[in-house]
Amino acid sequence: MGIDLPLIWFVIIVFSILMYIVMDGFDLGIGILYPALKDSHDRDLMMNSAAPVWDGNETWLVLGGAALFGAFPLAYAIVLDALSIPLTFMLLALIFRGVAFEFRFRADESHRKHWDHAFIWGSIFATFVQGIVVGAFIQGFHVESRVFMGGYFDWFSPFPLFCGFGLVVAYALLSCGWLIMKTEGHLRETMYRLLRPLTLLMLVVIAIISAWTPILNEGIYSRWFSLPNLFFFLPVPLLVLGSVWIMMKSAKHQKSDNVPFLAALLLIFLGFTGLGISLWPNLIPPAISFRDAAGPSESLGFMLVGALFIIPVILVYTYWSYYVFRGKITPDQGYH
């Protein structure tokens, strides 16, 4: 029995996307939460909490995109054709936001507000577009004879747009937990005050998307509500409610600063897992599986050799970065 190369590469891409969402999510969320803080010292602390690691987080996005191009060229071609406009806007927003991240600390006081606005809108727009992409995948693509036959604005419809809003809320919640874990004093107290409304809003978003998804996609409806699948999927909403309860309790008692971030991570993981279960084994919904989209075995095997070297290096670098800069950040610390 040979090695299932398409499955291995499917797992690598899913893992890369999940790592990007988790790690760059709180980073983008800092820009989303920026308007809630007007004090420049608090904003400096927010940025400095992510400054040592933020650029390394996007390594996972590059890895996922490169892996998709090499391992599943058909999927890559369809995705770029169907989502070329939002993906281009996302990259521009990430570039714009990255420039604002660095230039804000070098600007004088009169110009800093302009970079603050650039950072805010770059973060919100990049996140919103990422949510649109997720919604477009759930909605599905019109493909005939392995060629995308839909319109270039199919993504501009109510469900993907709402998913964009939902991801903005999710990243804001994740960042709220991150800042509670990393900061002290006024900023930490402000984040605790935001934790409850953000958690409730996230619960409403999850409920709406969960109700809308099976209505939108008949394949997902049959998968969710057929037996015995219904019993297998039942723990997911229960775990979501459990995570929400933990965050609400944490917002009330404010005892363990690590709990909100970990509970938000669990919510993100549950949402991502639910999406994967719903679409499996399709890489391009509704009908192109990851095996149909896979490249030649020789290419997959050749690439795997390099991946087995580079992925552990990225993991070690990521772990070491977060380990070195662990703990609370204080106002006298700066990374620029």
Side-chain angles (χ1 to χ4, degrees):
M1 182 177 180
I3 300 175
D4 194 341
L5 292 172
L7 179 60
I8 291 174
W9 274 106
F10 182 80
V11 171
I12 289 174
I13 291 174
V14 168
F15 176 72
S16 300
I17 295 173
L18 179 60
M19 290 293 287
Y20 172 75
I21 291 173
V22 167
M23 301 188 129
D24 212 36
F26 75 80
D27 178 9
L28 288 163
I30 288 174
I32 296 169
L33 291 178
Y34 234 50
L37 281 301
K38 303 301 182 183
D39 184 79
S40 61
H41 297 294
D42 284 340
R43 290 187 167 187
D44 288 346
L45 274 177
M46 293 171 74
M47 274 200 166
N48 280 327
S49 71
V53 295
W54 78 274
D55 48 354
N57 293 338
E58 295 180 355
T59 304
W60 297 104
L61 180 64
V62 176
L63 176 63
L68 184 67
F69 172 74
F72 302 101
L74 174 61
Y76 185 86
I78 293 173
V79 168
L80 279 193
D81 211 8
L83 302 174
S84 58
I85 295 174
L87 288 175
T88 300
F89 283 138
M90 182 193 75
L91 292 175
L92 290 174
L94 288 174
I95 293 169
F96 198 65
R97 174 183 172 276
V99 171
F101 197 109
E102 297 295 337
F103 275 55
R104 178 186 180 275
F105 285 94
R106 291 164 172 79
D108 56 46
E109 200 62 36
S110 62
H111 292 90
R112 182 170 292 187
K113 62 181 180 180
H114 301 303
W115 293 113
D116 282 347
H117 289 305
F119 182 66
I120 291 167
W121 288 109
S123 301
I124 292 174
F125 198 72
T127 303
F128 183 71
V129 172
Q130 288 177 18
I132 287 176
V133 171
V134 172
F137 265 88
I138 298 174
Q139 185 172 264
F141 301 96
H142 182 199
V143 178
E144 295 179 8
S145 302
R146 299 165 66 90
V147 176
F148 175 68
M149 299 299 291
Y152 290 112
F153 290 92
D154 286 354
W155 52 271
F156 195 75
S157 58
F159 183 75
L161 293 175
F162 184 78
C163 287
F165 168 76
L167 195 63
V168 170
V169 176
Y171 282 2
L173 179 61
L174 190 61
S175 180
C176 185
W178 169 262
L179 291 170
I180 288 171
M181 183 175 66
K182 295 292 291 184
T183 63
E184 297 175 323
H186 175 260
L187 180 55
R188 171 182 172 274
E189 293 171 3
T190 303
M191 290 302 111
Y192 263 122
R193 287 196 297 270
L194 290 174
L195 182 61
R196 187 186 295 269
L198 282 175
T199 301
L200 292 176
L201 182 58
M202 188 73 250
L203 182 61
V204 172
V205 167
I206 292 173
I208 293 174
I209 291 178
S210 299
W212 199 341
T213 297
I215 297 174
L216 187 72
N217 192 312
E218 293 182 1
I220 293 177
Y221 177 88
S222 61
R223 174 165 292 188
W224 281 12
F225 297 105
S226 61
L227 296 176
N229 289 351
L230 182 62
F231 298 110
F232 294 146
F233 297 159
L234 188 59
V236 174
L238 296 178
L239 287 171
V240 168
L241 292 175
S243 301
V244 169
W245 179 80
I246 289 171
M247 281 191 282
M248 296 296 285
K249 185 178 179 181
S250 179
K252 180 179 180 181
H253 298 291
Q254 302 184 13
K255 289 183 178 180
S256 177
D257 290 350
N258 295 332
V259 170
F261 183 66
L262 295 176
L265 281 179
L266 179 59
L267 267 182
I268 296 291
F269 177 77
L270 289 170
F272 188 81
T273 303
L275 172 63
I277 293 173
S278 301
L279 298 181
W280 172 266
N282 294 322
L283 190 59
I284 299 296
I288 297 180
S289 71
F290 68 93
R291 297 190 190 281
D292 295 332
S297 299
E298 295 80 5
S299 298
L300 299 181
F302 179 77
M303 290 172 54
L304 185 61
V305 175
L308 292 177
F309 170 76
I310 195 64
I311 291 176
V313 171
I314 298 174
L315 287 172
V316 170
Y317 163 79
T318 301
Y319 166 77
W320 186 248
S321 298
Y322 281 86
Y323 177 78
V324 169
F325 296 101
R326 68 193 183 279
K328 297 278 188 178
I329 185 171
T330 57
D332 59 329
Q333 290 177 303
Y335 301 101
H336 287 79

